[in-house]
Amino acid sequence: LLPSDSVFVDSRWPYRSKKSLKMIENQIRADNINATQSGCACCLGIDHDGRLVACILRHRNGSLGILHVDETYRRRGLGKILLSEATSSMQRRGEIPTAFIVDGNTHSEALFSTLGWSKENPLAKKGTGKRKAKR
């Protein structure tokens, strides 16, 4: 992703705020700097006909999030591709991939589970949503 893609990401994020556009732009910038040094990008996007249709970000705290695929492009495996590549990139960087999934987001929960992610503490009460990838 490029910093200019932050408008797309922010416009699709249900938790956007007055400060979120700048936060997303900064996350993408920081990831681009890390990718230049490590060769592994974690803020990724997929475009179709020159238009961004899917994305995933690595937050400043190191977790993956804001995974989004536009409605028209869902059920084509784009989310799986993004999550797989972001997970691999984090592992190549020597990081332990983590993500927070909002309770009730069954589509995300299923996707992460399909790719081998597990709930960090299966006995935890609702509200944690933290997941980790297999090492």
Side-chain angles (χ1 to χ4, degrees):
L1 291 174
L2 301 172
S4 59
D5 294 325
S6 59
V7 173
F8 168 89
V9 177
D10 187 57
S11 70
R12 271 107 177 133
W13 193 34
Y15 305 104
R16 69 181 168 269
S17 68
K18 292 178 182 180
K19 297 179 180 182
S20 62
L21 179 62
K22 191 68 174 168
M23 176 200 69
I24 291 167
E25 188 177 319
N26 288 338
Q27 288 171 192
I28 294 170
R29 273 200 174 88
D31 188 64
N32 288 342
I33 291 167
N34 285 334
T36 300
Q37 296 167 352
S38 68
C40 304
C42 297
C43 289
L44 306 169
I46 296 175
D47 69 346
H48 182 260
D49 291 333
R51 185 172 87 69
L52 192 60
V53 297
C55 64
I56 191 168
L57 268 69
R58 178 185 177 275
H59 294 290
R60 300 290 297 248
N61 69 3
S63 68
L64 292 175
I66 313 182
L67 173 61
H68 175 81
V69 178
D70 275 355
E71 192 74 37
T72 307
Y73 295 90
R74 291 184 182 169
R75 310 293 306 160
R76 299 181 188 192
L78 301 182
K80 188 175 187 177
I81 291 167
L82 288 171
L83 180 56
S84 293
E85 183 56 34
T87 301
S88 294
S89 289
M90 290 183 76
Q91 290 170 331
R92 287 191 307 271
R93 287 182 179 184
E95 299 173 4
I96 298 171
T98 58
F100 294 90
I101 299 174
V102 174
D103 287 333
N105 187 341
T106 56
H107 294 296
S108 284
E109 290 173 350
L111 174 62
F112 277 73
S113 292
T114 298
L115 293 175
W117 286 64
S118 61
K119 193 165 186 177
E120 186 174 62
N121 179 357
L123 303 175
K125 302 256 187 234
K126 282 189 147 195
T128 60
K130 188 171 183 180
R131 302 288 194 274
K132 65 179 180 178
K134 290 183 180 178
R135 292 191 229 187

